């Protein structure tokens, strides 16, 4: 994960909630590693649960052999050579806006298997509008006292459920931003999770 502000830290923790074991986060100072006092307090906390191999170095070092790159950082910080250094069939989610960490066509040319960006002109747009209408609808429908981790995870599964095995392709891994099916699927999943975890009031 490149970019270790609020978004990058939250993404790292959320992926680990889903069972991802090996996460390496980077900031503008390089790979975040436990014991390195150059990093902010939240980044040092993150270092206690990520990068258990204690890798040090730059973003380029972190990307070597990596399966997935998630960017919530700055434009044009990833090169074709960095993509080529990744594992087989690498996946890149380059979410810097308005210009991604690497242009999708360049990432594909360098061997990327799947690319998603925050921009609507490319395939696999990653947009939080897929989450929020349904998340709040589901929470409000059952008068949930809070939005807990289980509800957020249910929202993710609700989005994923909108793409069938028959529809799934490298250029269609999640529904389009304004697909109403996603809002309905997320709302239902979130409401059910709220009831299941005891935070619903109806």
């Amino acid at each position: 994960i490149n970019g270790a502000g609020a978004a990058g830290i939250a993404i790292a923790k959320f992926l680990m909630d889903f069972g991802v074991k090996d996460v390496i986060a980077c900031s503008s100072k390089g790979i975040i590693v436990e014991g390195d006092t150059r990093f902010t307090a939240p980044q040092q906390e993150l270092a206690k649960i990520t990068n258990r191999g204690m890798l040090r170095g730059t973003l380029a070092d972190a990307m070597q052999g990596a399966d997935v790159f998630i960017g919530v950082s700055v434009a044009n910080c990833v090169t074709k050579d960095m993509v080529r250094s990744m594992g087989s069939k690498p996946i890149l989610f380059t979410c810097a806006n308005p210009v991604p960490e690497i242009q999708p066509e360049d990432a594909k040319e360098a061997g990327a298997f799947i690319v998603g960006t925050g921009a609507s002109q490319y395939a696999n747009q990653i947009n939080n509008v897929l989450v929020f209408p349904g998340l709040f609808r589901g929470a409000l429908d059952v008068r949930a006292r809070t939005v807990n981790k289980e509800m957020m995870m249910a929202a993710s599964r609700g989005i994923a459920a909108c793409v069938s095995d028959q529809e799934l392709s490298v250029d269609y891994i999640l529904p389009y931003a304004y697909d109403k099916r996603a809002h309905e699927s997320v709302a239902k999943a979130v409401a059910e999770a709220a009831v299941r975890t005891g935070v619903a009031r109806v």
Side-chain angles (χ1 to χ4, degrees):
I1 299 173
N2 194 45
I9 290 171
I11 290 166
K13 290 179 177 178
F14 196 57
L15 289 172
M16 296 180 85
D17 287 339
F18 271 104
V20 176
K21 303 291 185 194
D22 186 13
V23 175
I24 295 173
C26 297
S27 79
S28 57
K29 295 180 175 71
I31 296 171
I32 295 172
V33 62
E34 188 172 5
D36 191 329
T37 57
R38 294 178 302 150
F39 298 105
T40 66
Q43 290 169 346
Q44 290 185 53
E45 281 300 307
L46 182 67
K48 293 176 182 177
I49 58 171
T50 60
N51 190 17
R52 294 297 77 203
M54 304 297 283
L55 185 68
R56 296 176 184 269
T58 64
L59 172 61
D61 296 316
M63 288 182 69
Q64 288 184 24
D67 298 306
V68 181
F69 168 88
I70 298 173
V72 278
S73 53
V74 296
N76 302 317
C77 60
V78 172
T79 66
K80 289 182 180 180
D81 282 342
M82 290 181 190
V83 177
R84 291 187 190 104
S85 78
M86 295 176 72
S88 63
K89 293 189 173 180
I91 297 168
L92 288 91
F93 297 135
T94 56
C95 299
N97 254 328
V99 180
E101 285 80 0
I102 183 172
Q103 293 295 334
E105 50 271 29
D106 290 337
K108 289 272 192 176
E109 189 178 306
F113 180 56
I114 292 171
V115 180
T117 76
S120 59
Q121 67 265 38
Y122 299 114
N124 299 322
Q125 184 190 11
I126 299 163
N127 190 323
N128 59 17
V129 77
L130 281 171
V131 177
F132 290 117
L135 178 69
F136 288 117
R137 179 75 273 158
L140 290 167
D141 283 347
V142 296
R143 296 179 60 207
R145 291 190 302 274
T146 187
V147 174
N148 59 30
K149 183 193 307 181
E150 290 80 8
M151 292 162 71
M152 292 188 287
M153 294 172 77
S156 295
R157 293 187 180 101
I159 292 169
C162 291
V163 180
S164 69
D165 289 346
Q166 291 72 35
E167 295 173 300
L168 187 65
S169 73
V170 294
D171 290 324
Y172 187 63
I173 63 165
L174 74 170
Y176 298 115
Y178 296 103
D179 187 337
K180 289 184 179 178
R181 294 179 309 155
H183 304 159
E184 293 162 2
S185 180
V186 168
K188 182 174 184 291
V190 166
E192 289 172 351
V195 171
R196 188 171 63 251
T197 57
V199 299
R201 287 183 288 190
V202 295

